[in-house]
């Protein structure tokens, strides 16, 4: 079964600095990969998804992620952090299998703090 | 569109009590899910449904039950509440299963004491 590892449960950056949130997955077949964001007291919202069309995926709010098969990674980046980016970010993976299905598997999340 | 609506937002239960968490979606999605979120643990799938009348267990189903009599509604039932069920519960729906994004409700924060 696939799994997702998010390196760093907490990341702190200064406003205007680069945001880099790390995600590594394990899957023996090409996966579908997602990044979700959760603001305080809200449900998760989709930031972006990778479905094999392009390795660099652009999402909402200036975020993007690059699929690197050789590194089994799908790291999330944003060139310049804004105070409103403070939230918890979840990487998730799913894939289609013959004769059955795999449900979406979430990483444990990375809480992003943006300092003024 | 309201999307996915969960009620109640907060609830405190005593050990052994029962309750139903309500979830409704107005997007005509066939797939619906219940997750629980515990600090530092991500989201764990409790139950899911691929359509009206069809439900199946997820990763952590013990102590919960679900039903899916209509496309719109997917209630989660706790029969004998235990402190281990203190968590934030999220309902979600999607158009397809494998590569469709999930649409989440705003959650129900449940405390069992």
């Amino acid at each position: 079964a696939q799994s997702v590892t998010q390196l760093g449960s907490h990341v702190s950056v200064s406003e205007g600095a680069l945001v880099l949130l790390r995600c590594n997955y394990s899957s023996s077949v090409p996966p579908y990969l997602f990044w979700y964001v959760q603001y305080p007291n809200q449900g998760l919202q989709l930031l972006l998804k990778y479905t094999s069309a392009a390795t660099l995926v652009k999402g909402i709010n200036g975020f993007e992620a690059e699929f690197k098969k050789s590194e089994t990674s799908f790291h999330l980046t944003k060139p310049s952090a804004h105070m409103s980016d403070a939230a918890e970010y979840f990487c998730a993976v799913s894939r289609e299998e013959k004769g059955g299905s795999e449900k979406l598997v979430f990483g444990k999340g990375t809480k992003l703090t943006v300092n003024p | 569109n309201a999307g996915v609506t969960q009620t109640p937002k907060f609830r405190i239960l005593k050990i052994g009590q029962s309750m139903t968490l309500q979830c409704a979606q107005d997007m005509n999605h066939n797939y619906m899910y219940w997750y629980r979120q515990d600090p530092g643990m991500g989201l764990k799938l409790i139950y899911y449904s691929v359509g009206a009348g069809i439900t199946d267990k997820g990763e952590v189903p013990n102590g919960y039950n679900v039903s899916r009599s209509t496309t719109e509604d997917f209630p989660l039932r706790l029969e004998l509440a235990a402190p281990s069920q203190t968590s934030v519960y999220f309902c979600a729906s999607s158009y397809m299963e494998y590569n469709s994004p999930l649409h989440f409700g705003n959650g129900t924060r449940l405390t069992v004491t």
Side-chain angles (χ1 to χ4, degrees):
Chain A
Q2 67 271 36
S3 66
V4 175
T5 301
Q6 290 185 241
L7 297 176
S9 58
H10 290 85
V11 170
S12 183
V13 301
S14 298
E15 191 172 18
L18 171 72
V19 176
L20 171 60
L21 304 181
R22 299 178 186 273
C23 173
N24 288 88
Y25 68 91
S26 67
S27 175
S28 58
V29 298
Y32 300 111
L33 292 158
F34 304 79
W35 275 99
Y36 284 84
V37 60
Q38 185 180 30
Y39 299 104
N41 300 313
Q42 294 187 24
L44 281 69
Q45 305 171 33
L46 182 70
L47 264 183
L48 49 83
K49 68 175 184 178
Y50 167 76
T51 56
S52 79
T55 57
L56 184 62
V57 182
K58 293 189 183 299
I60 62 172
N61 301 337
F63 284 92
E64 62 182 33
E66 186 173 7
F67 172 69
K68 291 187 176 180
K69 184 178 179 180
S70 60
E71 298 178 6
T72 59
S73 69
F74 191 56
H75 301 333
L76 181 71
T77 61
K78 183 174 180 177
S80 177
H82 192 272
M83 297 296 289
S84 60
D85 294 327
E88 191 160 15
Y89 292 80
F90 293 90
C91 183
V93 62
S94 73
R95 69 179 188 198
E96 182 175 355
E97 286 192 340
K98 287 184 180 180
S101 66
E102 289 280 348
K103 302 298 164 289
L104 197 63
V105 176
F106 286 90
K108 294 185 177 181
T110 298
K111 188 164 287 188
L112 176 66
T113 301
V114 182
N115 302 307
Chain B
N1 282 345
V4 179
T5 303
Q6 289 185 241
T7 57
K9 292 184 180 180
F10 305 94
R11 183 74 186 266
I12 298 174
L13 282 182
K14 294 189 185 302
I15 294 171
Q17 287 185 322
S18 302
M19 77 163 293
T20 299
L21 282 66
Q22 302 291 345
C23 175
Q25 54 93 8
D26 62 359
M27 297 171 282
N28 203 32
H29 286 165
N30 282 325
Y31 295 87
M32 296 189 74
Y33 312 83
W34 274 105
Y35 289 90
R36 60 176 289 171
Q37 183 180 29
D38 301 296
M41 299 303 294
L43 279 77
K44 302 290 186 184
L45 182 65
I46 304 171
Y47 270 95
Y48 67 98
S49 169
V50 302
I54 306 170
T55 63
D56 207 346
K57 296 178 180 179
E59 186 180 357
V60 289
N62 292 342
Y64 308 94
N65 277 300
V66 294
S67 59
R68 184 96 182 271
S69 57
T70 67
T71 298
E72 294 78 18
D73 299 302
F74 190 41
L76 178 72
R77 178 85 177 160
L78 283 70
E79 290 294 349
L80 292 170
S84 61
Q85 293 177 305
T86 294
S87 188
V88 182
Y89 292 85
F90 288 98
C91 179
S93 70
S94 66
Y95 173 64
M96 291 178 61
E97 188 171 21
Y98 306 116
N99 64 354
S100 293
L102 300 184
H103 297 259
F104 283 84
N106 284 330
T108 295
R109 186 175 295 273
L110 176 67
T111 302
V112 182
T113 61

